[in-house]
PDB file of all heavy atoms in Angstrom:
ATOM      1  N   MET A  74      48.981  61.932 -24.408  1.00 97.00           N
ATOM      2  CA  MET A  74      49.465  60.927 -25.358  1.00 97.00           C
ATOM      3  C   MET A  74      48.905  61.159 -26.761  1.00 97.00           C
ATOM      4  O   MET A  74      49.422  60.634 -27.738  1.00 97.00           O
ATOM      5  CB  MET A  74      49.095  59.517 -24.876  1.00 97.00           C
ATOM      6  CG  MET A  74      49.924  59.079 -23.671  1.00 97.00           C
ATOM      7  SD  MET A  74      49.355  57.511 -22.982  1.00 97.00           S
ATOM      8  CE  MET A  74      50.124  56.344 -24.101  1.00 97.00           C
ATOM      9  N   GLN A  75      47.833  61.932 -26.828  1.00 96.00           N
ATOM     10  CA  GLN A  75      47.310  62.244 -28.146  1.00 96.00           C
ATOM     11  C   GLN A  75      47.987  63.455 -28.765  1.00 96.00           C
ATOM     12  O   GLN A  75      47.534  63.980 -29.779  1.00 96.00           O
ATOM     13  CB  GLN A  75      45.795  62.481 -28.064  1.00 96.00           C
ATOM     14  CG  GLN A  75      45.048  61.191 -27.820  1.00 96.00           C
ATOM     15  CD  GLN A  75      43.575  61.453 -27.637  1.00 96.00           C
ATOM     16  OE1 GLN A  75      42.818  61.490 -28.583  1.00 96.00           O
ATOM     17  NE2 GLN A  75      43.184  61.654 -26.397  1.00 96.00           N
ATOM     18  N   GLY A  76      49.058  63.890 -28.102  1.00 96.00           N
ATOM     19  CA  GLY A  76      49.844  64.983 -28.670  1.00 96.00           C
ATOM     20  C   GLY A  76      49.257  66.354 -28.447  1.00 96.00           C
ATOM     21  O   GLY A  76      49.598  67.307 -29.146  1.00 96.00           O
ATOM     22  N   GLU A  77      48.347  66.475 -27.478  1.00 97.00           N
ATOM     23  CA  GLU A  77      47.804  67.801 -27.178  1.00 97.00           C
ATOM     24  C   GLU A  77      48.659  68.458 -26.095  1.00 97.00           C
ATOM     25  O   GLU A  77      49.112  67.779 -25.181  1.00 97.00           O
ATOM     26  CB  GLU A  77      46.360  67.666 -26.672  1.00 97.00           C
ATOM     27  CG  GLU A  77      45.419  67.103 -27.707  1.00 97.00           C
ATOM     28  CD  GLU A  77      44.085  66.666 -27.114  1.00 97.00           C
ATOM     29  OE1 GLU A  77      43.641  67.284 -26.138  1.00 97.00           O
ATOM     30  OE2 GLU A  77      43.502  65.700 -27.638  1.00 97.00           O
ATOM     31  N   PRO A  78      48.858  69.778 -26.191  1.00 98.00           N
ATOM     32  CA  PRO A  78      49.520  70.457 -25.070  1.00 98.00           C
ATOM     33  C   PRO A  78      48.588  70.346 -23.870  1.00 98.00           C
ATOM     34  O   PRO A  78      47.430  70.749 -23.958  1.00 98.00           O
ATOM     35  CB  PRO A  78      49.634  71.913 -25.522  1.00 98.00           C
ATOM     36  CG  PRO A  78      49.111  71.972 -26.919  1.00 98.00           C
ATOM     37  CD  PRO A  78      48.391  70.705 -27.229  1.00 98.00           C
ATOM     38  N   THR A  79      49.083  69.782 -22.791  1.00 98.00           N
ATOM     39  CA  THR A  79      48.197  69.422 -21.692  1.00 98.00           C
ATOM     40  C   THR A  79      48.615  70.100 -20.400  1.00 98.00           C
ATOM     41  O   THR A  79      49.783  70.048 -20.031  1.00 98.00           O
ATOM     42  CB  THR A  79      48.231  67.889 -21.516  1.00 98.00           C
ATOM     43  OG1 THR A  79      47.856  67.301 -22.750  1.00 98.00           O
ATOM     44  CG2 THR A  79      47.272  67.453 -20.439  1.00 98.00           C
ATOM     45  N   LEU A  80      47.641  70.717 -19.759  1.00 98.00           N
ATOM     46  CA  LEU A  80      47.931  71.385 -18.488  1.00 98.00           C
ATOM     47  C   LEU A  80      46.955  70.923 -17.418  1.00 98.00           C
ATOM     48  O   LEU A  80      45.743  71.039 -17.572  1.00 98.00           O
ATOM     49  CB  LEU A  80      47.811  72.913 -18.648  1.00 98.00           C
ATOM     50  CG  LEU A  80      47.880  73.720 -17.341  1.00 98.00           C
ATOM     51  CD1 LEU A  80      49.221  73.525 -16.638  1.00 98.00           C
ATOM     52  CD2 LEU A  80      47.624  75.201 -17.597  1.00 98.00           C
ATOM     53  N   TRP A  81      47.527  70.396 -16.362  1.00 98.00           N
ATOM     54  CA  TRP A  81      46.724  70.107 -15.168  1.00 98.00           C
ATOM     55  C   TRP A  81      47.243  71.042 -14.083  1.00 98.00           C
ATOM     56  O   TRP A  81      48.349  70.879 -13.603  1.00 98.00           O
ATOM     57  CB  TRP A  81      46.858  68.637 -14.771  1.00 98.00           C
ATOM     58  CG  TRP A  81      45.979  68.267 -13.604  1.00 98.00           C
ATOM     59  CD1 TRP A  81      45.065  69.039 -12.968  1.00 98.00           C
ATOM     60  CD2 TRP A  81      45.945  67.007 -12.929  1.00 98.00           C
ATOM     61  NE1 TRP A  81      44.458  68.352 -11.954  1.00 98.00           N
ATOM     62  CE2 TRP A  81      44.974  67.106 -11.902  1.00 98.00           C
ATOM     63  CE3 TRP A  81      46.636  65.801 -13.103  1.00 98.00           C
ATOM     64  CZ2 TRP A  81      44.689  66.040 -11.043  1.00 98.00           C
ATOM     65  CZ3 TRP A  81      46.349  64.742 -12.241  1.00 98.00           C
ATOM     66  CH2 TRP A  81      45.373  64.866 -11.231  1.00 98.00           C
ATOM     67  N   MET A  82      46.416  72.011 -13.762  1.00 98.00           N
ATOM     68  CA  MET A  82      46.829  73.073 -12.846  1.00 98.00           C
ATOM     69  C   MET A  82      46.508  72.723 -11.397  1.00 98.00           C
ATOM     70  O   MET A  82      45.347  72.541 -11.062  1.00 98.00           O
ATOM     71  CB  MET A  82      46.089  74.356 -13.259  1.00 98.00           C
ATOM     72  CG  MET A  82      46.252  75.509 -12.320  1.00 98.00           C
ATOM     73  SD  MET A  82      47.868  76.250 -12.423  1.00 98.00           S
ATOM     74  CE  MET A  82      47.582  77.432 -13.710  1.00 98.00           C
ATOM     75  N   PRO A  83      47.535  72.627 -10.558  1.00 97.00           N
ATOM     76  CA  PRO A  83      47.288  72.279  -9.160  1.00 97.00           C
ATOM     77  C   PRO A  83      47.301  73.498  -8.241  1.00 97.00           C
ATOM     78  O   PRO A  83      47.754  74.572  -8.630  1.00 97.00           O
ATOM     79  CB  PRO A  83      48.487  71.393  -8.837  1.00 97.00           C
ATOM     80  CG  PRO A  83      49.596  71.990  -9.649  1.00 97.00           C
ATOM     81  CD  PRO A  83      48.975  72.654 -10.870  1.00 97.00           C
ATOM     82  N   GLY A  84      46.836  73.290  -7.031  1.00 96.00           N
ATOM     83  CA  GLY A  84      46.892  74.352  -6.040  1.00 96.00           C
ATOM     84  C   GLY A  84      46.012  74.031  -4.850  1.00 96.00           C
ATOM     85  O   GLY A  84      45.375  72.976  -4.807  1.00 96.00           O
ATOM     86  N   THR A  85      45.996  74.950  -3.914  1.00 96.00           N
ATOM     87  CA  THR A  85      45.254  74.698  -2.683  1.00 96.00           C
ATOM     88  C   THR A  85      44.408  75.902  -2.296  1.00 96.00           C
ATOM     89  O   THR A  85      44.650  77.020  -2.737  1.00 96.00           O
ATOM     90  CB  THR A  85      46.218  74.409  -1.513  1.00 96.00           C
ATOM     91  OG1 THR A  85      47.251  75.378  -1.540  1.00 96.00           O
ATOM     92  CG2 THR A  85      46.794  73.015  -1.614  1.00 96.00           C
ATOM     93  N   ASP A  86      43.432  75.620  -1.463  1.00 94.00           N
ATOM     94  CA  ASP A  86      42.521  76.647  -0.967  1.00 94.00           C
ATOM     95  C   ASP A  86      42.854  76.945   0.491  1.00 94.00           C
ATOM     96  O   ASP A  86      43.259  76.059   1.240  1.00 94.00           O
ATOM     97  CB  ASP A  86      41.088  76.130  -1.093  1.00 94.00           C
ATOM     98  CG  ASP A  86      40.068  77.201  -0.774  1.00 94.00           C
ATOM     99  OD1 ASP A  86      39.724  77.953  -1.699  1.00 94.00           O
ATOM    100  OD2 ASP A  86      39.633  77.281   0.391  1.00 94.00           O
ATOM    101  N   HIS A  87      42.651  78.195   0.874  1.00 93.00           N
ATOM    102  CA  HIS A  87      43.039  78.580   2.237  1.00 93.00           C
ATOM    103  C   HIS A  87      42.084  78.052   3.308  1.00 93.00           C
ATOM    104  O   HIS A  87      42.406  78.087   4.487  1.00 93.00           O
ATOM    105  CB  HIS A  87      43.172  80.095   2.350  1.00 93.00           C
ATOM    106  CG  HIS A  87      41.921  80.837   2.029  1.00 93.00           C
ATOM    107  ND1 HIS A  87      41.471  81.017   0.748  1.00 93.00           N
ATOM    108  CD2 HIS A  87      41.001  81.437   2.828  1.00 93.00           C
ATOM    109  CE1 HIS A  87      40.336  81.707   0.768  1.00 93.00           C
ATOM    110  NE2 HIS A  87      40.024  81.971   2.016  1.00 93.00           N
ATOM    111  N   ALA A  88      40.917  77.582   2.900  1.00 88.00           N
ATOM    112  CA  ALA A  88      40.001  76.923   3.835  1.00 88.00           C
ATOM    113  C   ALA A  88      39.736  77.765   5.067  1.00 88.00           C
ATOM    114  O   ALA A  88      40.065  77.396   6.196  1.00 88.00           O
ATOM    115  CB  ALA A  88      40.560  75.563   4.235  1.00 88.00           C
ATOM    116  N   ALA A  89      39.142  78.911   4.852  1.00 87.00           N
ATOM    117  CA  ALA A  89      39.012  79.905   5.920  1.00 87.00           C
ATOM    118  C   ALA A  89      38.393  79.358   7.209  1.00 87.00           C
ATOM    119  O   ALA A  89      38.982  79.478   8.277  1.00 87.00           O
ATOM    120  CB  ALA A  89      38.184  81.080   5.415  1.00 87.00           C
TER     121      ALA A  89
END
Side-chain angles (χ1 to χ4, degrees):
Chain A
M74 288 173 81
Q75 288 176 88
E77 296 166 32
T79 303
L80 171 62
W81 184 5
M82 172 74 88
T85 46
D86 188 86
H87 60 284

